[in-house]
């Protein structure tokens, strides 16, 4: 496993459409391992392949708390099939370091995806996990949360001091 460099806002790759994964190659397996390590190292809740410069439809999400066991979800070719409700809250992104913004997302989503063995799976998610799924899937279509943020982004440093 290796920690990969996280691309930051302004990098054109973050605006591009990612391609479906058709086959579980060693390269894809390696990508998944590296994404997990990179996400955990950076203390993030999720990471999408374009954030490490790879235009493939792969995301990893881990909403477990700091003092809990890591519990990552690996999603290949994910697609939201249902959503409902609304939640408004702070969102950040490893590609937009030091910033948070207020974003409204569905409060419930259902998604289908392939797991790391390419087995079809379905997940129902609420609250933070629902938000994370929406955020990471947006990356696969070249979108960042900053496009959806209400008002200005804020500094995380200021938040901590307040
Ligand atoms: Ni992000």
């Amino acid at each position: 496993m290796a920690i990969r460099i996280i691309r930051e806002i302004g990098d054109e790759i973050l605006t591009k459409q990612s391609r479906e994964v058709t086959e579980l190659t060693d390269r894809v397996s390696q990508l998944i391992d590296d994404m997990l390590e990179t996400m955990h190292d950076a203390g993030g809740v999720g990471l999408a392949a374009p954030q490490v410069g790879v235009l493939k439809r792969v995301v990893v999400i881990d909403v477990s708390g700091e003092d809990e066991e890591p519990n990552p979800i690996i999603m290949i070719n994910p697609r939201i099939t249902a959503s409902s409700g609304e939640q408004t809250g702070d969102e950040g992104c490893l590609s937009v370091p030091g910033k948070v913004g207020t974003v409204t997302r569905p409060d419930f989503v259902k998604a289908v995806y392939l797991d790391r063995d390419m087995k079809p799976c379905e997940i129902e998610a609420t609250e933070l996990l629902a938000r994370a799924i929406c955020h990471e899937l947006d990356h696969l279509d070249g979108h960042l949360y900053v496009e959806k943020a209400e008002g200005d982004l804020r500094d995380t440093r200021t938040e901590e001091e307040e």
Side-chain angles (χ1 to χ4, degrees):
M1 299 216 286
I3 291 169
R4 299 204 186 187
I5 293 165
I6 296 175
R7 306 297 185 96
E8 294 184 1
I9 187 166
D11 190 318
E12 225 176 70
I13 203 156
L14 294 173
T15 67
K16 298 201 164 144
Q17 190 81 16
S18 290
R19 290 178 296 273
E20 298 238 315
V21 174
T22 52
E23 197 189 352
L24 187 71
T25 58
D26 288 348
R27 232 177 137 83
V28 172
S29 277
Q30 185 68 56
L31 170 68
I32 291 167
D33 287 341
D34 290 354
M35 284 173 65
L36 288 169
E37 191 173 3
T38 304
M39 171 180 68
H40 285 136
D41 176 71
V45 166
L47 189 69
Q51 292 182 274
V52 294
V54 179
L55 290 173
K56 288 189 195 302
R57 301 187 82 82
V58 177
V59 309
V60 296
I61 294 172
D62 191 345
V63 296
S64 63
E66 266 174 46
D67 40 8
E68 291 174 307
E69 283 290 299
N71 186 24
I73 301 166
I74 294 144
M75 305 173 101
I76 298 171
N77 302 340
R79 187 165 56 83
I80 291 172
T81 54
S83 66
S84 65
E86 231 179 53
Q87 56 172 321
T88 300
D90 280 350
E91 208 164 295
C93 178
L94 294 175
S95 294
V96 190
K99 299 284 182 187
V100 289
T102 305
V103 183
T104 298
R105 300 280 192 186
D107 192 44
F108 168 85
V109 298
K110 195 189 263 194
V112 292
Y113 61 98
L114 303 173
D115 70 8
R116 70 171 311 161
D117 301 314
M118 298 295 270
K119 186 167 70 74
C121 295
E122 188 174 55
I123 191 170
E124 293 189 2
T126 60
E127 299 172 24
L128 178 58
L129 184 54
R131 176 180 293 283
I133 290 172
C134 294
H135 176 115
E136 298 312 328
L137 268 60
D138 275 355
H139 276 298
L140 303 181
D141 294 318
H143 296 296
L144 295 177
Y145 83 88
V146 301
E147 301 163 35
K148 293 183 173 157
E150 295 151 34
D152 292 331
L153 300 186
R154 301 179 320 275
D155 267 324
T156 47
R157 187 183 297 260
T158 317
E159 293 270 300
E160 280 159 18
E161 281 165 5
E162 275 167 2

